[in-house]
Amino acid sequence: PLLMRARPAFRFWHRWFGILGGAWLILLAITGCAIAWYDELDGLLNPDLRYVEARSGAPAPIDRVVANAQEAFPGFTPGNILLSQAPDRTHWLIGRQAVANEGVRPLQVFVDPGTAKVTGWRESGAIRLQRHYIPDLLYGLHTDLLLGRTGILIVGFLALAWLLDHILSLPLAFPRLRGALAAFRIGGHSGSLRQL
């Protein structure tokens, strides 16, 4: 009886959360599809950052690559160095730059593997509608709705609400438990293979 009285409230929650949660899932699906092809999308949008003229011979030493990046951006410390996977691709240095009177900013620096020359850069996580920033913008939308730590909490609460929605929708899907269980039984005479 209590469950039957609660059904209209469950239905109301399920309907409206389904609409709002569906919009969130569409956003996740679109941005997730895009960032699954992050490198390809970035290379297509930003060939000036990701590609260089292929050169024969040994690549420049990594310590020279890092030194040139630090010379171009004083205070830059790479946390990750993604090495070029092809002669025409750049090294990708991801780290932080200490800027006087401004604190620290996250930075990505791209370096020609043959000459160790810096070919470009961008600020990590910057919200700008320019082609250099589109891949990171899509990534940020997917992971934290571009709201940083607050966005991560919102996404976590949305996931908990989605779990709650699944639990509350069970009485809607199976209004009478006895009838629902009967649907899984197959009739047959005694000794029949159809009998469960």
Side-chain angles (χ1 to χ4, degrees), residues 173-187 196:
F174 301 105
R176 291 181 181 82
L177 188 58
R178 187 178 302 169
L181 292 177
F184 293 101
R185 291 195 198 95
I186 300 173
L196 293 179

Side-chain angles (χ1 to χ4, degrees), residues 36-165:
W37 300 92
Y38 184 99
D39 277 349
E40 293 79 2
L41 178 64
D42 200 17
L44 184 68
L45 290 173
N46 305 304
D48 55 322
L49 295 180
R50 302 303 298 271
Y51 290 97
V52 291
E53 184 181 336
R55 291 178 175 81
S56 58
I62 291 300
D63 57 348
R64 196 166 120 219
V65 167
V66 172
N68 284 0
Q70 290 175 327
E71 185 181 332
F73 299 95
F76 175 68
T77 305
N80 291 323
I81 300 175
L82 303 175
L83 298 176
S84 167
Q85 298 299 307
D88 64 339
R89 299 296 297 255
T90 56
H91 290 318
W92 186 6
L93 287 68
I94 304 169
R96 298 186 175 277
Q97 180 189 21
V99 182
N101 302 323
E102 291 181 31
V104 177
R105 69 172 175 167
L107 200 64
Q108 301 174 29
V109 180
F110 300 88
V111 181
D112 185 325
T115 64
K117 178 185 172 190
V118 172
T119 60
W121 67 278
R122 67 181 166 210
E123 189 175 341
S124 300
I127 302 173
R128 296 188 189 136
L129 291 175
Q130 298 169 349
R131 65 182 173 85
H132 284 169
Y133 298 94
I134 296 294
D136 282 356
L137 189 71
L138 292 170
Y139 187 85
L141 267 173
H142 186 78
T143 56
D144 61 16
L145 305 173
L146 300 177
L147 298 172
R149 183 111 178 110
T150 303
I152 291 171
L153 289 173
I154 291 170
V155 169
F157 283 124
L158 281 170
L160 287 174
W162 195 18
L163 176 65
L164 176 66
D165 180 62

Side-chain angles (χ1 to χ4, degrees), residues 2-8 10-11 14 164-177 180:
L2 178 62
L3 203 57
M4 294 303 284
R5 286 198 300 270
R7 277 174 59 81
F10 290 176
R11 189 178 299 116
H14 186 62
L164 176 66
D165 180 62
H166 280 64
I167 293 167
L168 294 181
S169 66
L170 286 173
L172 300 176
F174 301 105
R176 291 181 181 82
L177 188 58

